Amino acid sequence: MNARAFPAALILFAGCATAQTPPPPAPTPPAGMQWLYGSGEGGASSIQAYHAFRDYVVATAQSRPRESVVLAPDATLDDPRMVPCGDRPLAVVLDVDETALQNLGYEYDEASNARTYDQERWNRWERTGANAVSAMPGAAAALNTIRAEGVTVIFNSNRQSANAAPTEAAINGANLGPATHGETLYLQGDVAPGSAKDPRRAAISSRYCVIAMAGDQLGDFSDLFNARTLSVPDRRRYATSPPFSALWGRGWFMLSNPVYGTGLRGTYDDVFPADRRWSDPGQGGNR
Amino acid sequence: MNARAFPAALILFAGCATAQTPPPPAPTPPAGMQWLYGSGEGGASSIQAYHAFRDYVVATAQSRPRESVVLAPDATLDDPRMVPCGDRPLAVVLDVDETALQNLGYEYDEASNARTYDQERWNRWERTGANAVSAMPGAAAALNTIRAEGVTVIFNSNRQSANAAPTEAAINGANLGPATHGETLYLQGDVAPGSAKDPRRAAISSRYCVIAMAGDQLGDFSDLFNARTLSVPDRRRYATSPPFSALWGRGWFMLSNPVYGTGLRGTYDDVFPADRRWSDPGQGGNR
């Protein structure tokens, strides 16, 4: 995801919480965590995404495409175009957190102690949490099949470059590897400072023809979706309209993450269209 | 979904809330609603599921399968088997709420007024909300393609049989129809009382070979997943292990719904495996 780069509103909220008495932990995990980490529904959704990813990559590897699924440096949301493939070897690019890995230890600690997100604690998690993760359902089998087809699996994460060794250990320990920093693992700080992933995608594209990408945030596909000028409704409209709508499940693969990230944003007016409101007629309207 | 049949814990909580001062509305919609109804990520996830659904149905319709994807009446989770197809015509079966339709008007009313789920209010919504819904992203195009292949599209919903006309209007008005009660729309009360969907699936299977199903709850695929004796971790294990794991994206299609339903359940111990815990080493461990 996008560096676990939280929406500004949530960061402000975290600031408020520390200035007051911290709230007691909720009696159960937040609904999003129940769905993502605990439910059959969430597990099924992940397996379904990885089945689609695997099937698409195996089919596409047979017929070498001319274009990658990485947007070209001069692309815009209104004029998108892809990097040409040339004769470079085939690769897929995946995000790590809540795309390939479930960060179970971190999220348990945060939820059960009613903590809010903290960049320094997350940094300690990157360094020491390698044994408290597991693979997203369906991920390990899909990546193994993809590698057996001769396609290189590359991770592009906003974890810190300084923590490369424990991140390699987390990925490899969850049977998702091999992840080798600088070869099949790109991290924040590797190519350019900051959480933008386009510079790393450009570096990967200079060596490989990227035939599929997977992520849980739109920023795992293009930084264009993270433009500050883009409203919440416009962002959804771009993602769900041509030409980008055609890519979902066909080159770009979305893992559902209702726990954190750029999808958890928006006012009532942002989230609910004005022409889809309803007034309860009340008991009198009930017969 | 499963009648919008909420987990018992949430129903109890709703009881508590009405006995006390109702809480003020949260300043923004709950995270799950932001993700499902407002985000590009949620929209992409829905389109991806419907792309997979459409592609699978088109391919499977070419080579008539011998078995449907509906479990036989004597199946168990440990000994599943499918209904044979015979020479019956092909159909797909979809849930309605948060599978084919986004219930925008209802959810806006509930969230912006800090209401908790209420069966009577939902019943009024079924009767009067047909104009305040929209199609899930990707659904309308997929269903049109599926019908053009000669496959019948049938809805199996836990909305009430008594509200068939406004439910037909909601589905047809969102360009997802035709939905005709008793033909291509099965509702609660049609075949047997209660929210179990297996009796309706059996009735549909007596007339059709069901080659794919879509839903946002495991109960949209088999009531066996709703057995009260099934723990939250066991339920996830069944859904994500063979033989059921092989069905996701290949006959059974899951729409991600972190807003309500049977996936939003479980204690910390249910949701987070005991062998994936982490203790923050604290600032002292930060170098």
Side-chain angles (χ1 to χ4, degrees):
Chain A
M1 66 91 57
N2 196 22
R4 291 199 49 118
F6 272 66
L10 286 185
I11 293 170
L12 289 174
F13 178 75
C16 293
T18 51
Q20 300 171 3
T21 309
T28 57
M33 292 189 191
Q34 291 176 315
W35 186 87
L36 180 61
Y37 303 121
S39 77
E41 284 84 353
S45 178
S46 179
I47 290 173
Q48 178 171 293
Y50 273 107
H51 277 166
F53 186 67
R54 166 164 67 179
D55 291 349
Y56 179 86
V57 170
V58 168
T60 303
Q62 311 295 322
S63 62
R64 256 198 84 88
R66 281 192 301 171
E67 286 195 333
S68 88
V69 295
V70 174
L71 287 177
D74 61 347
T76 67
L77 290 180
D78 291 309
D79 185 19
R81 70 198 72 181
M82 302 295 185
V83 173
C85 271
D87 56 1
R88 294 187 289 282
L90 303 183
V92 296
V93 174
L94 286 85
D95 172 53
V96 172
D97 295 310
E98 275 57 46
T99 295
L101 285 181
Q102 304 181 89
N103 285 290
L104 297 167
Y106 177 84
E107 299 295 346
Y108 174 83
D109 175 74
E110 190 159 289
S112 66
N113 292 295
R115 304 192 210 280
T116 50
Y117 178 71
D118 175 78
Q119 181 63 48
E120 283 306 307
R121 179 159 30 85
W122 176 262
N123 193 23
R124 295 191 291 274
W125 164 251
E126 288 188 10
R127 297 180 199 208
T128 64
N131 293 327
V133 299
S134 68
M136 289 284 288
L143 297 189
N144 285 340
T145 300
I146 287 168
R147 291 190 183 99
E149 294 286 320
V151 177
T152 302
V153 174
I154 299 175
F155 298 95
N156 182 5
S157 169
N158 275 333
R159 290 186 178 213
Q160 298 295 320
S161 180
N163 300 333
T167 293
E168 286 178 351
I171 295 169
N172 296 333
N175 298 313
L176 296 167
T180 305
H181 187 212
E183 299 284 331
T184 54
L185 175 62
Y186 284 70
L187 296 168
Q188 188 166 180
D190 279 354
V191 175
S195 62
K197 289 186 166 183
D198 282 345
R200 281 171 257 151
R201 278 185 282 263
I204 295 165
S205 292
S206 72
R207 298 173 58 186
Y208 292 95
C209 167
V210 178
I211 59 174
M213 297 195 287
D216 64 317
Q217 311 285 328
L218 290 177
D220 293 326
F221 305 95
S222 169
D223 292 328
L224 293 172
F225 294 107
N226 289 336
R228 286 170 189 277
T229 50
L230 203 59
S231 73
V232 168
D234 282 347
R235 192 169 179 273
R236 181 168 171 109
R237 197 173 305 118
Y238 274 112
T240 60
S241 304
F244 297 109
S245 56
L247 287 166
W248 300 117
R250 293 151 178 192
W252 290 6
F253 294 83
M254 181 64 76
L255 279 292
S256 298
N257 180 2
V259 172
Y260 63 79
T262 51
L264 275 54
R265 211 164 42 175
T267 64
Y268 290 101
D269 284 344
D270 288 333
V271 171
F272 294 99
D275 63 353
R276 293 293 185 278
R277 299 287 162 85
W278 175 70
S279 290
D280 180 8
Q283 296 294 338
N286 194 20
R287 57 205 70 229
Chain B
M1 66 91 60
N2 196 20
R4 293 199 49 116
F6 272 65
L10 285 184
I11 293 169
L12 289 173
F13 178 76
C16 292
T18 51
Q20 300 170 5
T21 309
T28 57
M33 292 188 192
Q34 292 176 315
W35 186 87
L36 181 60
Y37 303 121
S39 77
E41 285 83 353
S45 178
S46 179
I47 290 173
Q48 179 171 293
Y50 272 106
H51 278 166
F53 186 67
R54 165 165 66 180
D55 291 350
Y56 180 86
V57 170
V58 169
T60 305
Q62 310 296 322
S63 63
R64 256 199 84 87
R66 281 193 300 171
E67 286 195 335
S68 88
V69 296
V70 174
L71 288 177
D74 61 346
T76 66
L77 289 180
D78 291 309
D79 185 20
R81 71 198 72 182
M82 301 297 184
V83 173
C85 271
D87 55 1
R88 294 187 289 281
L90 303 183
V92 297
V93 174
L94 286 85
D95 173 52
V96 173
D97 296 310
E98 274 57 46
T99 295
L101 285 182
Q102 305 182 88
N103 285 288
L104 296 166
Y106 177 85
E107 300 295 347
Y108 174 82
D109 175 75
E110 189 159 290
S112 66
N113 293 296
R115 305 192 210 281
T116 49
Y117 178 72
D118 175 78
Q119 181 62 48
E120 284 305 309
R121 179 159 31 83
W122 176 262
N123 193 24
R124 294 192 291 274
W125 164 251
E126 288 188 11
R127 296 181 201 206
T128 65
N131 293 327
V133 300
S134 68
M136 290 283 289
L143 297 189
N144 285 341
T145 301
I146 287 168
R147 289 190 184 99
E149 294 286 321
V151 177
T152 302
V153 174
I154 299 174
F155 298 96
N156 181 6
S157 168
N158 274 331
R159 290 187 178 212
Q160 298 294 321
S161 179
N163 300 334
T167 292
E168 286 178 352
I171 295 169
N172 295 335
N175 298 314
L176 296 167
T180 306
H181 186 211
E183 299 284 330
T184 53
L185 175 62
Y186 283 70
L187 296 167
Q188 189 165 178
D190 280 352
V191 175
S195 62
K197 290 187 166 182
D198 282 345
R200 280 170 259 151
R201 278 185 283 263
I204 296 165
S205 293
S206 72
R207 297 173 58 186
Y208 292 96
C209 167
V210 178
I211 59 174
M213 296 196 287
D216 65 317
Q217 310 286 328
L218 290 177
D220 293 325
F221 305 95
S222 169
D223 291 328
L224 294 172
F225 294 107
N226 289 336
R228 286 171 188 276
T229 49
L230 203 59
S231 73
V232 168
D234 282 347
R235 191 169 178 274
R236 182 168 171 107
R237 197 173 305 118
Y238 274 112
T240 59
S241 304
F244 297 109
S245 56
L247 287 166
W248 300 116
R250 293 152 178 191
W252 289 7
F253 294 81
M254 181 64 76
L255 279 292
S256 297
N257 179 1
V259 172
Y260 63 80
T262 51
L264 275 54
R265 211 164 42 175
T267 64
Y268 291 100
D269 284 344
D270 288 333
V271 170
F272 294 99
D275 62 352
R276 293 292 185 279
R277 300 287 162 87
W278 174 69
S279 289
D280 180 7
Q283 296 295 336
N286 194 19
R287 54 206 73 227

